[in-house]
Amino acid sequence: MALALSVSATGLTVGADATSGPTNGTTERLMAALDQTARRPARAYKAQRSLKAGLISKGEYGWMEVMTEFTPEHGLTYTVLSEGGSSRIRNRALRNVLDREVEASRSADARAAAFSTDNYRYQLGGVLPNAVQIGLMPRREDPRLINGLATMDQRTAELSYVEGDLAKNPSFWVRDVRIARRYSQISTVTLPVEFRSTARVRMFGPAEMHMTIAYLSIDGVPVDRAPSAVDGQPALPILLTQP
């Protein structure tokens, strides 16, 4: 159930100027871009998701193919297209992921989990080739927040991925929750396209979840091609919890 936390398909529209060098000015602009995008209204979309989760040591997995639709007025809805594997994983993990996101989309939870300066203090986390990592330091212990890094593309000023640990364990039963999200620009909007999570569940050991999102339309306008989250990209740089 803890794997349901920190899953969000809220859109992010980046609007900062990119520069050619990792200067202090560039870092400040990228931090400003991250805060600005976290405060912008979410965009309506229709997307198909592929979800898989399981208990690693037991080799017990379940999967689902789901059609989702989001509007700012009505929040998220979903329809299961197909499913298989462990019914326990599907009902207690995957459906729980979707149901929690539906609930959060119709409340103030999205704002409380946003990567804004209301929820985080920023600091320079590192400089990569053509990218800057922004350290995310939660302002409170909250299982909706992440203690980690947000990577911004220096050339385009777009958020590319976020990786880190939940700021607080979601329950007594679940600990060491680590997540990674990949973002991509689709129809001028930066949106999450891939999500990975690992955790340790008492009595069951390590668990993991993987989800990809293929967008079909944004604000009612069809996407020319529903891009795969992994097209031409390396695996998410998450440090998986070991058994």
Side-chain angles (χ1 to χ4, degrees):
M1 294 177 65
L3 297 176
L5 297 171
S6 300
V7 178
S8 175
T10 301
L12 297 173
T13 306
V14 176
D17 296 327
T19 63
S20 58
T23 63
N24 289 337
T26 298
T27 301
E28 291 174 359
R29 281 191 288 272
L30 294 176
M31 289 181 177
L34 182 60
D35 181 56
Q36 182 183 17
T37 59
R39 299 174 185 277
R40 291 183 177 175
R43 305 285 289 273
Y45 68 82
K46 185 176 182 179
Q48 184 168 337
R49 303 191 190 186
S50 299
L51 302 93
K52 181 180 180 180
L55 300 170
I56 298 172
S57 60
K58 293 182 176 296
E60 182 180 354
Y61 286 84
W63 61 270
M64 298 176 71
E65 290 287 331
V66 178
M67 186 65 68
T68 60
E69 191 163 359
F70 172 82
T71 64
E73 297 80 13
H74 301 101
L76 181 74
T77 60
Y78 72 90
T79 302
V80 178
L81 303 177
S82 60
E83 58 184 311
S86 167
S87 60
R88 175 169 63 173
I89 298 299
R90 284 184 278 126
N91 293 326
R92 295 188 180 183
L94 298 183
R95 278 189 171 82
N96 189 54
V97 166
L98 296 166
D99 290 340
R100 282 177 177 266
E101 189 176 351
V102 167
E103 181 181 354
S105 72
R106 298 171 181 172
S107 68
D109 281 4
R111 186 177 298 275
F115 297 131
S116 68
T117 53
D118 291 339
N119 301 316
Y120 291 95
R121 292 187 297 273
Y122 298 157
Q123 68 176 16
L124 177 62
V127 178
L128 303 174
N130 300 316
V132 172
Q133 292 179 316
I134 297 173
L136 299 174
M137 298 177 292
R139 293 185 178 274
R140 61 187 184 278
E141 290 189 359
D142 189 323
R144 294 169 294 186
L145 302 182
I146 302 167
N147 186 3
L149 295 169
T151 300
M152 304 287 287
D153 189 298
Q154 184 186 325
R155 297 162 298 182
T156 63
E158 294 176 7
L159 179 64
S160 59
Y161 63 81
V162 173
E163 178 184 4
D165 304 315
L166 293 191
K168 182 180 179 180
N169 288 333
S171 74
F172 168 81
W173 297 99
V174 180
R175 61 186 176 88
D176 302 333
V177 181
R178 188 167 183 81
I179 74 165
R181 298 184 205 153
R182 189 194 301 280
Y183 295 79
S184 182
Q185 187 174 22
I186 302 170
S187 299
T188 72
V189 184
T190 300
L191 294 165
V193 294
E194 186 178 12
F195 170 88
R196 287 186 183 274
S197 176
T198 61
R200 288 189 180 274
V201 183
R202 293 183 188 273
M203 299 176 62
F204 290 98
E208 64 181 352
M209 176 183 165
H210 182 224
M211 176 174 68
T212 59
I213 308 173
Y215 293 88
L216 306 178
S217 66
I218 306 295
D219 290 337
V221 179
V223 175
D224 290 339
R225 172 180 177 272
S228 168
V230 294
D231 281 356
Q233 301 186 49
L236 280 172
I238 186 171
L239 301 178
L240 295 178
T241 302
Q242 298 298 319

